[in-house]
């Protein structure tokens, strides 16, 4: 059954896990601010085996669009009927738009979102990316396009970093190297600290911080070598990486600013309205302030 475009007002975020996502709070605040009462944005927890059929079903169920998060971004591009040139080059999509004929169009707003959050030009800078999934692809493409001098990629599974490096014309490395800019594009830290542990907010590194940095093949000394650090992961407090970078005197951002910047671009794609960015930022931060980040069981 095809949907009438006028009744196509549902939005959501597809992920696994997705309970951590601040996108619903952020987008619903923007919709309310603009008086778009018929619209709504919801979490859509979908395991990988059900991703394609669920995304296609959304197109038939009153959905105008969906964000796509971990681990579905590459699958999102693969299932789309059309894609922007940048999403094609990146090899991953975080924004799907559903047409009235049931078609699916893919876009990648992670790349421009990252550059907007960085607040400085990476032209001439060296960069170390951690991870080789959908967001690492967007980061590598964005930095290369913006004129970074060198972009290195490390990943837990080296073959995936090698493939990314070949396709996006950057360099894969067997361990992270010192650089001007470090971007964590892995899911390490996504679940927050184990319940009962102090987490990364203490003045001294905890055993959890050390374990988290170890998963990223980093040491505290190496973290001190980067002047700018972005951790795409965000939670109710700083991640171990952000805390370590700040202790070392680096300028460190968590993923919230990237979330707001990519979300604003997705919002404009779906609704054709200017995104109320301050409202979105405030809603995302307020949600974080509730201290309800996921903890491991
Ligand atoms: P993805 O495609 O599933 O990739 C996940 C990456 O994390 C892979 O490189 C994977 O390595 C690595 N990884 C997972 N567990 C690991 C561990 N225990 N130790 C070391 N590496 C590990 O996910 P994605 O879409 O790129 O997203 C990655 C993260 O960025 C997620 O936490 C997501 O929430 C966050 N993100 C945030 C924003 C934002 O707006 N703030 C935007 C995009 C993404 P293997 O290849 O070895 O499995």
């Amino acid at each position: 059954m095809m949907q009438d475009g006028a009744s196509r007002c549902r939005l959501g975020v597809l992920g696994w896990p997705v309970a951590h996502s601040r996108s619903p709070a952020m987008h619903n605040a923007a919709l309310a601010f603009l008086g778009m009462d018929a619209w709504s944005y919801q979490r859509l927890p979908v395991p990988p085996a059900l991703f394609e059929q669920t995304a296609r079903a959304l197109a038939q169920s009153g959905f105008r669009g969906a964000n796509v998060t971990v681990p579905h971004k590459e699958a999102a591009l693969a299932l789309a009927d059309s894609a922007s040139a940048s999403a094609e080059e990146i090899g991953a999509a975080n924004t799907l738009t559903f047409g009235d004929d049931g078609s699916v169009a893919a876009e990648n707003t992670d790349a421009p979102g990252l550059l907007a959050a960085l607040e400085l030009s990476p032209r001439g800078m060296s960069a170390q990316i951690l991870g080789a999934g959908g967001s690492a692809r967007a980061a590598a493409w964005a930095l290369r396009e913006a004129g970074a001098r060198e972009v290195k990629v490390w990943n837990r599974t080296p073959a995936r970093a090698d493939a990314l490096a070949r396709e996006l014309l950057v360099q894969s490395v067997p361990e992270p190297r010192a650089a001007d800019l470090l971007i964590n594009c892995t899911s390490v830290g996504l679940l927050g600290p184990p319940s009962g542990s102090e987490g990364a907010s203490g003045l001294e590194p905890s055993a959890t911080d050390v374990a988290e940095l170890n998963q990223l093949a980093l040491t505290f000394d190496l973290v001190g070598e980067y002047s700018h650090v972005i951790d795409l992961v965000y939670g109710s407090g700083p991640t171990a990486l952000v805390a370590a970078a700040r202790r070392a005197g680096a300028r460190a951002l968590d993923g919230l600013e990237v979330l707001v910047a990519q979300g604003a671009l997705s919002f404009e794609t779906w609704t054709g309205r200017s995104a109320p960015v301050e409202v979105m930022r405030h809603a995302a931060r307020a949600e974080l302030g509730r201290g309800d980040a996921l903890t491991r069981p």
Side-chain angles (χ1 to χ4, degrees):
M1 183 187 64
M2 297 302 158
Q3 290 283 324
D4 166 14
S7 64
R8 192 177 278 286
C9 299
R10 299 178 73 186
L11 301 168
V13 53
L14 291 151
W16 191 258
V18 76
H20 67 282
S21 176
R22 268 56 184 173
S23 290
M26 189 172 77
H27 284 280
N28 283 321
L31 295 169
F33 179 79
L34 295 175
M36 298 170 70
D37 298 337
W39 291 68
S40 63
Y41 187 110
Q42 68 190 84
R43 286 189 177 85
L44 298 164
V46 179
L50 297 178
F51 176 74
E52 178 162 0
Q53 70 189 76
T54 306
R56 290 217 169 272
L58 295 179
Q60 310 290 344
S61 312
F63 276 79
R64 172 68 181 148
N67 282 128
V68 181
T69 187
V70 55
H72 301 311
K73 291 182 184 182
E74 289 159 80
L77 178 71
L79 76 80
D81 302 303
S82 63
S84 68
S86 58
E88 291 278 15
E89 285 179 32
I90 290 165
N94 74 325
T95 304
L96 297 178
T97 303
F98 306 118
D100 294 339
D101 57 355
S103 60
V104 182
E107 178 56 281
N108 192 307
T109 67
D110 278 338
L114 175 69
L115 292 177
L118 196 52
E119 284 183 338
L120 56 81
S121 167
R123 180 164 297 282
M125 288 174 90
S126 58
Q128 174 67 59
I129 291 173
L130 308 177
S135 59
R137 285 178 162 274
W141 184 88
L143 293 172
R144 199 200 66 195
E145 289 293 299
R149 174 165 51 84
E150 58 181 27
V151 179
K152 296 189 162 72
V153 180
W154 168 86
N155 192 46
R156 175 180 65 174
T157 309
R160 228 175 148 194
D162 293 345
L164 186 163
R166 257 194 322 275
E167 289 168 36
L168 291 170
L169 307 177
V170 296
Q171 191 186 343
S172 65
V173 286
E175 66 271 324
R177 305 274 167 80
D180 300 317
L181 173 63
L182 175 70
I183 305 186
N184 176 31
C185 300
T186 76
S187 338
V188 171
L190 180 63
L191 296 178
S195 41
S197 77
E198 186 189 354
S201 54
L203 292 176
E204 293 300 321
S206 68
T208 317
D209 293 359
V210 175
E212 221 164 278
L213 289 194
N214 284 346
Q215 288 184 70
L216 297 172
L218 293 172
T219 61
F220 287 98
D221 284 348
L222 182 53
V223 171
E225 300 283 333
Y226 305 98
S227 49
H228 294 79
V229 173
I230 295 189
D231 194 341
L232 287 191
V233 172
Y234 56 88
S236 56
T239 60
L241 174 59
V242 166
R246 285 183 182 151
R247 271 186 222 111
R251 183 167 179 274
L253 289 177
D254 69 14
L256 196 112
E257 282 304 316
V258 183
L259 178 82
V260 172
Q262 59 79 32
L265 294 169
S266 300
F267 185 92
E268 291 174 356
T269 301
W270 299 319
T271 66
R273 305 278 300 266
S274 283
V277 175
E278 261 318 306
V279 170
M280 295 174 82
R281 180 179 290 116
H282 181 77
R285 285 209 186 282
E287 184 88 347
L288 286 182
R290 284 183 226 274
D292 57 351
L294 267 186
T295 50
R296 295 188 184 97

